[in-house]
Amino acid sequence: MDKKMKKDSLLKSSLWISISGIISRILAVVYIIPWNIWIGPLAVNAANAMYGKVYNIYNLFLIIATAGIPSAISKEVAAHNALGRFDQSEKLFKKYSFYMTLVGIGCAAIMFFGAKYVAIVLAAGDMRVVTPIKYLSVAMLIIPALGILRGYIQGYAFISYSAFSQVIEQIARVAYMLYATYTIMILQKGNYISAVNQSTLASFIGATLAYVFLLWIRVKVRRSVTIDDIKTKDDLPTDETIDINFGSMLRSAIPFLLVDTIMTVLQLFDQTTFTWIYQLILHASEKTIDNLYAMFGFQANKIIMVLVSLAISVSASVIPALSAMVSKKVSNEYIQNFMRKIVQFTVFIILPATFGVMAISRQLWTAFVFYDQSILGSKVLIVSCFEAFFYCLFMILENILQVTHHMKKSMIYLAIAYLLKIVLQLPLTLALGVYGPVVATTIAFVIMSHFAFRLINKQFAIVDKELGKKLIRILIDGVIMLVVVVVANLLIVQVISDATKVGAIIVIAICGVLGILVYGFLSYKDGSLNILKDIRDTKIY
């Protein structure tokens, strides 16, 4: 028997997923610098638009193939393990793995053999995406199994290992993308379409390495379960066993699937409707459409995904923790206290990160795209930051609704969010141009976050005067940090030119360190920093 592995606390799991998510997203953003340079200024917007469209399609199939399983299985495994039913956890893992491998094979077949029709429906008929869709179909053969394994590991409260596997996956993916692009564009003097095609194959390579790593962790996790942890049949009520079949799996997973897919579905909606609006109503050229779509649908989206990864870290930790509490039937007062910590922790992490990206938006655009687009690009990025912030809140609140048995209301709010987006898309795009799709999505998330939080607060009475004061202090700290960084930015660029990528990165580094120091000092002085101490010893189960 191996030495018993220590489970992650809520703070440790959140921090690990935050760190791994940020590293993964930073890698996903940083590779753009050499990738864009090697593609070349003449083809870069067309390549970005093409790559963005392909990956939005891939993400849809990816989420369908995993079907919300990582969240669903982590919720169920945590609930069973909290009661000592490790045998049920193993049954869940094995049957889910079998079912979802079949789903992955089905999705891969649709992507490979139906790539042309997928391009017509989801990419406004852009035939450039047909070949890369076929390349990405290979990754679908392993992604579902990887999702199952991640959810299983998270359910055992070893979230740090699941998080680390994402870093492995991203490093391998980015390394192959850069190798392939350099070889094709620089050594072979090829074209951007070939580079994009090869870049998409990197997803399969990254997923395979991450899967091998997690298989090794699974062996260690199973060996860490001692005889004392396992409850015998006599210790459990007779109705505690579960029937595991494809139907029960889907009932558990589909609500998580619908929440996980919303951003991807909305991005697909953007890439088709934005193209149609600009072609049929505004009569814009393909080059103009590529330039504008690449700006909000790929470049800004890549950067704000760093913020979204923070929300994913909180959400992935909250689901198993809250599920375990519900399964153990702890008091509402205990859950109320837990949720107050989550609300404060979420705002404490995501708000300053959002303000920080807004403060250095122009330098970020120069560093990861090009300086000559940085004025319009930075404005698009600032608007996208609002979208990212409210998407983060919406996703966390929706997952809480599902774990606390508000599935029906959760799905209703999700449907209304889609409806709002559909209604607002055309008028806002015509009125605001490139900002329109982003503003439409933001409004949908704001309204639905309000309804979701109101329902949760009605059940658990989370909001009180004390929490209100804490959140206001965090907001004030964030605003002060924003003002300080903006002023510092204006002064620094008088000395260091941010017109080059190197200069922009130096300004980003200085402003980033300054922002962290200012926010850290303010939150320490007014006590906001204590939230890290408050949740440090909160166990997942």
Side-chain angles (χ1 to χ4, degrees), residues 100-370:
M100 295 315 298
T101 298
L102 295 180
V103 172
I105 292 170
C107 287
I110 293 170
M111 288 179 70
F112 188 84
F113 296 108
K116 178 181 176 181
Y117 304 103
V118 171
I120 292 171
V121 175
L122 300 177
D126 189 344
M127 290 297 108
R128 293 175 298 177
V129 305
V130 170
T131 301
I133 288 173
K134 290 184 176 181
Y135 275 75
L136 282 167
S137 67
V138 182
M140 302 307 301
L141 299 175
I142 195 166
I143 290 288
L146 177 61
I148 293 284
L149 205 45
R150 280 198 175 125
Y152 171 85
I153 299 295
Q154 289 172 13
Y156 269 84
F158 298 116
I159 294 175
S160 54
Y161 293 111
S162 174
F164 187 63
S165 73
Q166 294 176 5
V167 177
I168 294 173
E169 181 180 6
Q170 195 66 269
I171 288 173
R173 189 177 78 87
V174 168
Y176 182 80
M177 283 182 69
L178 294 181
Y179 163 75
T181 303
Y182 181 79
T183 301
I184 292 168
M185 298 302 296
I186 304 301
L187 299 182
Q188 299 176 355
K189 307 297 181 185
N191 62 62
Y192 77 90
I193 293 178
S194 298
V196 172
N197 290 344
Q198 281 299 316
S199 293
T200 55
L201 186 61
S203 294
F204 170 73
I205 295 168
T208 301
L209 289 178
Y211 186 69
V212 171
F213 168 75
L214 285 181
L215 281 177
W216 173 62
I217 294 300
R218 167 171 152 72
V219 173
K220 293 187 66 177
V221 166
R222 287 300 299 147
R223 288 177 178 173
S224 75
V225 177
T226 65
I227 298 299
D228 294 335
D229 293 327
I230 302 172
K231 300 292 188 293
T232 64
K233 210 167 185 180
D234 296 334
D235 296 326
L236 299 171
T238 55
D239 63 346
E240 289 291 351
T241 57
I242 57 172
D243 178 31
I244 306 167
N245 54 53
F246 193 65
S248 66
M249 182 198 74
L250 288 180
R251 281 194 297 274
S252 178
I254 282 177
F256 289 104
L257 163 68
L258 295 175
V259 173
D260 290 346
T261 55
I262 185 166
M263 184 59 97
T264 299
V265 171
L266 293 183
Q267 286 170 349
L268 285 167
F269 182 71
D270 283 342
Q271 76 183 30
T272 51
T273 57
F274 186 80
T275 300
W276 289 339
I277 291 168
Y278 266 71
Q279 279 179 346
L280 303 177
I281 300 176
L282 301 178
H283 305 294
S285 66
E286 184 180 60
K287 183 178 179 181
T288 298
I289 296 170
D290 276 350
N291 289 349
L292 293 177
Y293 176 74
M295 194 169 284
F296 83 88
F298 179 76
Q299 293 152 348
N301 188 58
K302 277 283 185 183
I303 297 172
I304 65 168
M305 287 308 289
V306 175
L307 302 177
V308 172
S309 68
L310 295 174
I312 293 171
S313 71
V314 177
S315 182
S317 303
V318 168
I319 289 169
L322 202 52
S323 178
M325 290 179 190
V326 172
S327 70
K328 293 172 91 170
K329 296 181 173 60
V330 302
S331 67
N332 267 16
E333 185 179 352
Y334 189 86
I335 295 178
Q336 177 191 68
N337 185 48
F338 173 76
M339 286 191 177
R340 283 174 179 164
K341 291 177 182 178
I342 292 303
V343 169
Q344 189 183 347
F345 181 60
T346 301
V347 177
F348 178 80
I349 295 294
I350 296 174
L351 188 68
T354 305
F355 283 166
V357 173
M358 292 168 66
I360 54 174
S361 58
R362 183 162 184 180
Q363 288 76 29
L364 285 169
W365 201 269
T366 300
F368 299 118
V369 194
F370 289 108

Side-chain angles (χ1 to χ4, degrees), residues 44 59 88 143 175 180 218 231 291 386 450 493 526 529 541:
V44 68
N59 283 336
Q88 297 290 352
I143 290 288
R218 167 171 152 72
K231 300 292 188 293
N291 289 349
F386 286 102
H450 166 73
V493 296
D526 65 19
L529 197 63
Y541 63 83

Side-chain angles (χ1 to χ4, degrees), residues 520-533:
F521 174 76
L522 292 172
S523 57
Y524 172 75
K525 293 297 288 184
D526 65 19
S528 297
L529 197 63
N530 290 337
I531 184 60
L532 299 181
K533 181 181 178 182

Side-chain angles (χ1 to χ4, degrees), residues 81 121 252 484 536:
N81 289 359
V121 175
S252 178
V484 170
R536 181 178 61 197

Side-chain angles (χ1 to χ4, degrees), residues 57-131:
I57 293 169
Y58 170 64
N59 283 336
L60 178 65
F61 278 91
L62 187 69
I63 297 171
I64 291 172
T66 54
I69 288 298
S71 297
I73 197 172
S74 71
K75 166 193 164 186
E76 294 194 28
V77 168
H80 290 305
N81 289 359
L83 300 174
R85 302 197 303 244
F86 293 93
D87 59 327
Q88 297 290 352
S89 295
E90 287 303 297
K91 287 180 182 178
L92 280 169
F93 172 72
K94 291 173 183 176
K95 287 209 171 184
Y96 275 29
S97 295
F98 174 73
Y99 291 138
M100 295 315 298
T101 298
L102 295 180
V103 172
I105 292 170
C107 287
I110 293 170
M111 288 179 70
F112 188 84
F113 296 108
K116 178 181 176 181
Y117 304 103
V118 171
I120 292 171
V121 175
L122 300 177
D126 189 344
M127 290 297 108
R128 293 175 298 177
V129 305
V130 170
T131 301

